[in-house]
Amino acid sequence: MNFSEPRAALYAWGQRVIALEDLCNDGSYPERAPDAVLAERGAVGEIVNVGHMPEHNEPVYLVQFPGCVIGCMEDEIIPAPAGLLPETEEAP
């Protein structure tokens, strides 16, 4: 058996990302229709956790999009450009 180090994640917790394609329900949300679009292409989300899929030796990202958290692979997301959204809004 070949045990190798997990491949390093390209993205980090707290990083804002953009969906590169429509992200559909794979059964993770039983209250929503199968294959329903959970986040549309171009939706902006924030990585809330980074894990690892040992079967494929790939990182997997939990991304908070408006309305739901979706598990994403690196080929489904891209970093959001700086300044796309305000980082925080502080009260005056």
Side-chain angles (χ1 to χ4, degrees):
M1 199 173 244
N2 182 8
F3 292 98
S4 60
E5 289 293 314
R7 187 167 67 74
L10 292 178
Y11 310 129
W13 177 87
Q15 187 172 358
R16 291 181 181 193
V17 294
I18 299 171
L20 290 173
E21 57 192 53
D22 287 346
L23 301 174
C24 298
N25 188 11
D26 62 0
S28 299
Y29 285 87
E31 70 280 2
R32 299 196 189 176
D35 297 321
V37 175
L38 300 174
E40 292 183 351
R41 178 178 186 232
V44 177
E46 183 175 323
I47 296 173
V48 295
N49 201 349
V50 180
H52 185 257
M53 185 180 288
E55 308 85 47
H56 302 286
N57 194 25
E58 290 185 49
V60 62
Y61 304 89
L62 286 180
V63 181
Q64 174 71 58
F65 287 101
C68 61
V69 176
I70 303 172
C72 297
M73 306 305 290
E74 286 177 349
D75 63 350
E76 297 176 314
I77 55 177
I78 191 167
L84 180 64
L85 297 171
E87 293 301 316
T88 59
E89 293 183 12
E90 295 180 15

